[in-house]
Amino acid sequence: MECCVIGTGYVGLVTGTCLAALGHDVTCVDKDRDKIAALEKAEMPIFEAELEGLVSQGLSSGNLRFSTDILSAARSSEFVFITVPTPSDGGGHADLSYVDDVARTIASAIQDYKVVINKSTVPVGSTKRVQRIIEESMEEYHEFDVVSNPEFLREGSAVSDFMKPARVVIGSDSQKAIMRMTELYRGVDAPLLVTDPVSAEMIKYASNAFLATKVSFINAIANICEVVGADVREVSLGMGYDERIGFEFLKAGPGFGGSCFPKDCRALLMIARENGYDFDLLEGVLKVNDEQQERMVAKIKVLVGDLEGAKIGILGLAFKANTDDLRDSPAMNITRMLVMGGARVTAYDPQAMENAAAQLESVAFAGNAYEVAEGADALVLLTEWDEFKWLDYERVKGIMRCPLIIDTRNCLDPAVLRKLGFAYEGVGR
Ligand code: UGA
């Protein structure tokens, strides 16, 4: 089936590549010429496991192409995916200008039946908005349908999330579009939920907001655990065995970040407010999240005595492991707060350092974790990269000025570290 994917950001690139791997004929388009030129050589703009190999496969099989010509790619495809960014406009609203521009371009490409699929995270009601923009921009009417098909990919496991999702959600009022979408996703083994467009859009926001709520909930529990002397990891485990709760998204840490949870929670708050509902619970989720990052800094401050002049080593800057994404990263926020507090900070991240260097002033960057530890008064683990779990901590202790580890991801073994002579501090344990 002929597909065109407009926008080669995270979602677009993964969607297009995976559709090609399923055997569809896919053209991924973007107006960024340099990006398209790089992708034609299978050079990745992002770090994402499995993606590079699949792009190379798609290019050599001929199922996957890259182009800057949106109009002709859309014209020759039955399925046109919109996967452009919807950044926050600062006030909590999603900025829909990219989506609107693409809708106008698609209007001039429609000459025979097309299914236009919105995968960008858009406010409730946007499917109808895209439908209206296309209708108004068409010179001559041709049949088309607009479908909401939210994505649930996680950075770091995006390819497997696409191929083996928990569900595929199709929001449409058109029987014809639903049939075509069902055919398109035939190779994906997952329950298919067919619903109306507004409910599909709401499913996306509600899912992210609920997962963010779980994270803030467990962080709040972690803070209580610290006071009463419980271990939040044991508490999460004990809760998770109850299938109604589940084990996922109950890891306490420095707070949630990334391009989705903070932005989508703020957008949902706004949608609720504009519809006359004060979503106090979600407001609390964001408040706990902001405070959690500040709590990490306060904890470090107490442990090192005084931030002013303290030499602090940072392990990890990405918002979570297995990605180079720094958007709304708690690690970046905490690092900035430490610098503002007067600390001398050296940082290392296996993938995100190049991007971080452009954003962080007054931070030195190291080539590996051991260089970060050299002469440090404290080592602060902020992103749970596997390589930090398997460091030679005996060597680390030997090169630090003061053997203190603050593990904001609870991913190290306190007993082992304490035996080696470290002072160890986790979150909620
Ligand atoms: C999230 C959702 O999980 C995806 O389903 C969704 O498609 C995506 O947003 C999106 O809307 O595009 P992602 O932002 O890649 O995916 O990251 P997550 O793995 O969900 O983690 C989000 C944040 O929560 C991270 O900062 C992570 O460290 C934090 N987290 C997660 C915790 O602190 N504890 C946990 O137990 C789980």
Side-chain angles (χ1 to χ4, degrees), residues 151-153 155 204 208 249 251 257 260 319-320 409:
E151 59 82 18
F152 302 100
L153 312 175
E155 295 188 16
K204 171 67 189 189
N208 272 0
F249 284 75
K251 284 198 199 84
C260 307
F319 82 95
K320 64 173 185 178
R409 295 286 184 166

Side-chain angles (χ1 to χ4, degrees), residues 206-278:
S207 301
N208 272 0
F210 184 72
L211 292 172
T213 304
K214 278 187 101 175
V215 175
S216 273
F217 182 85
I218 204 65
N219 282 338
I221 294 291
N223 298 335
I224 303 169
C225 283
E226 282 184 9
V227 186
V228 300
D231 183 338
V232 73
R233 290 182 18 136
E234 302 294 313
V235 176
S236 296
L237 197 64
M239 288 168 68
Y241 275 111
D242 185 331
E243 283 177 6
R244 294 169 302 174
I245 299 172
F247 295 106
E248 301 274 353
F249 284 75
L250 285 184
K251 284 198 199 84
F256 58 77
S259 63
C260 307
F261 281 9
K263 171 175 80 79
D264 292 352
C265 286
R266 283 193 290 267
L268 184 54
L269 262 185
M270 197 59 84
I271 291 166
R273 195 168 299 143
E274 284 171 357
N275 286 281
Y277 181 71
D278 285 331

Side-chain angles (χ1 to χ4, degrees), residues 194-213:
V194 176
T195 183
D196 61 277
V198 175
S199 301
E201 289 161 351
M202 198 63 190
I203 286 170
K204 171 67 189 189
Y205 281 112
S207 301
N208 272 0
F210 184 72
L211 292 172
T213 304

